[in-house]
Amino acid sequence: FRRLEVFILFNVSITSPIPEDIFIANRMLNQIDIIQSNLSNVWELKTNAKEPLILNLSYNRLTNITTMNAEMFTAINNEISHLHVRKITISVGVDNNFLATISCDKNSKVVAIFARNNSLIDLQCIRQMKNLKNLNVKANKFEKFSIEDFENLKKLERLDVSHNPLMMLNAKVFDQLRELKFLDIDEFSCCREE
């Protein structure tokens, strides 16, 4: 695998964990796609790549995972309940999982998070992602947002919180978002009476 730049494994059933050092000798690798391969466990895949890594682990059976050393991380349609976002990661796509918690390294570089159709109830470490420009948490379990949730997200341009069971929403929550150009709060999820 020394000269391999892209590794794609699609629709191949994996029955044992992938060895964490399988790509360690490769300095050319910049993309790993392991898609629809029945993958349920993946350790910290280690690479020595010169270029930033694109990692796609969509349509598997992963439950808890880290974004590893990937600059762009995608794991759509898995069974992920917890995700840890590493400092190097810029883009995260984890739509259609069971995601309830997200943790992250300090000084995160993330600019985009797509976490639609999950089970998130608060923004946890997302509120500390000062470079975040695009946040899509459509169809989660948010019932409210506080001013603190958005006070550090000064660069946020796009926000989708639609299809959440919001019980109340104070308009001042979004006052600090000076760069916001797109906001989706649908009428069906917002501000129901109890």
Side-chain angles (χ1 to χ4, degrees):
F1 294 140
R2 287 190 182 279
R3 303 207 36 85
L4 194 66
E5 293 179 15
V6 176
F7 176 82
I8 298 174
L9 192 62
F10 177 76
N11 204 21
V12 175
S13 188
I14 298 174
T15 57
S16 61
I18 296 172
E20 67 180 38
D21 61 351
I22 191 169
F23 301 114
I24 201 76
N26 186 314
R27 295 191 45 82
M28 307 301 288
L29 189 66
N30 61 29
Q31 181 174 340
I32 300 173
D33 293 348
I34 303 173
I35 303 170
Q36 200 172 326
S37 296
N38 207 31
L39 185 65
S40 61
N41 195 353
V42 62
W43 305 112
E44 185 81 15
L45 288 176
K46 296 178 181 170
T47 67
N48 282 322
K50 293 185 282 186
E51 299 295 320
L53 181 66
I54 299 168
L55 180 60
N56 187 343
L57 301 173
S58 295
Y59 299 93
N60 284 293
R61 295 183 308 117
L62 299 169
T63 54
N64 292 316
I65 195 161
T66 145
T67 58
M68 299 180 221
N69 60 342
E71 190 174 82
M72 296 180 68
F73 177 83
T74 307
I76 296 169
N77 283 61
N78 277 279
E79 300 168 6
I80 300 169
S81 60
H82 176 77
L83 172 71
H84 182 80
V85 180
R86 290 288 170 85
K87 185 176 182 175
I88 190 172
T89 306
I90 291 177
S91 176
V92 176
V94 286
D95 295 342
N96 305 321
N97 279 285
F98 305 123
L99 196 60
T101 59
I102 297 176
S103 60
C104 56
D105 291 349
K106 288 188 176 190
N107 301 317
S108 171
K109 297 178 182 179
V110 174
V111 296
I113 293 181
F114 300 92
R116 295 173 287 227
N117 197 25
N118 280 289
S119 297
L120 294 170
I121 59 170
D122 65 51
L123 293 178
Q124 302 156 339
C125 81
I126 293 172
R127 66 177 66 154
Q128 302 305 320
M129 295 180 175
K130 295 180 179 181
N131 294 311
L132 195 62
K133 291 184 177 185
N134 191 339
L135 176 61
N136 191 322
V137 288
K138 176 180 184 174
N140 275 275
K141 299 191 184 300
F142 292 99
E143 292 184 356
K144 64 181 180 175
F145 292 107
S146 69
I147 292 172
E148 293 80 24
D149 286 333
F150 299 103
E151 71 183 350
N152 290 320
L153 304 181
K154 308 265 188 241
K155 296 180 181 179
L156 196 64
E157 296 176 3
R158 297 182 62 83
L159 175 62
D160 188 338
V161 294
S162 63
H163 299 284
N164 277 287
L166 295 170
M167 299 305 243
M168 59 180 238
L169 186 63
N170 181 339
K172 292 183 180 187
V173 165
F174 306 114
D175 280 354
Q176 302 163 66
L177 302 177
R178 307 249 187 262
E179 298 299 318
L180 196 64
K181 296 175 179 140
F182 175 89
L183 174 62
D184 190 348
I185 308 170
D186 65 24
E187 64 182 291
F188 301 109
S189 66
C190 183
C191 313
R192 293 190 316 240
E193 296 290 329
E194 288 195 54

